[in-house]
Amino acid sequence: QVQLVESGGGLVQPGGSLRLSCVASGSIFKINAMGWYRQAPGKERELVAAITSGGSTNYADSMKGRFTISRDNAKNTVFLQMNSLNPEDTAVYYCNAVIVIPGAYYGMNYWGKGTLVTISS
């Protein structure tokens, strides 16, 4: 079984920063793209940022310049550095990864359970 476990969420004041981490564990042959999504109350889940195994990144427009995604392939970990946070960033942040398990021909999509980020004074 494959698991994604997020950490680093919490309560922070507007203008503050947080760093989220997500570790993938289990029966893993290869991890392709990894990414972060978020879902605010009453809204649909949306892409925050994604990163390929080679390090190419993609960001939602509203996160460009404020958020930075990175990964440590040796540790099967993806990070999200979030700066200049505002109340509109309040959401549950979910880790996502496309993972190839041993014996499989293609990768499958896996999700973490999410970590809550609350921006409030």
Side-chain angles (χ1 to χ4, degrees):
Q1 278 286 18
V2 173
Q3 276 191 316
L4 298 180
V5 179
E6 303 100 334
S7 61
L11 173 65
V12 67
Q13 292 187 341
S17 298
L18 277 176
R19 188 184 194 221
L20 305 183
S21 301
C22 171
V23 180
S25 63
S27 184
I28 298 171
F29 174 69
K30 180 184 177 183
I31 302 178
N32 294 329
M34 302 185 82
W36 291 94
Y37 288 72
R38 71 183 187 184
Q39 187 165 18
K43 295 187 177 181
E44 293 187 353
R45 191 173 297 189
E46 62 175 348
L47 173 70
V48 175
I51 184 168
T52 67
S53 57
S56 297
T57 59
N58 180 43
Y59 295 92
D61 287 343
S62 62
M63 285 61 150
K64 288 180 181 177
R66 298 191 301 127
F67 292 5
T68 302
I69 189 170
S70 60
R71 64 190 282 176
D72 184 336
N73 290 330
K75 296 182 179 180
N76 292 342
T77 302
V78 63
F79 306 98
L80 184 68
Q81 178 66 43
M82 305 186 293
N83 299 327
S84 302
L85 288 162
N86 58 65
E88 290 70 37
D89 295 315
T90 295
V92 177
Y93 284 70
Y94 296 92
C95 178
N96 171 266
V98 178
I99 296 174
V100 182
I101 63 174
Y105 291 103
Y106 53 86
M108 293 183 64
N109 220 15
Y110 292 88
W111 292 92
K113 294 183 178 180
T115 185
L116 178 63
V117 171
T118 303
I119 314 303
S120 175
S121 54

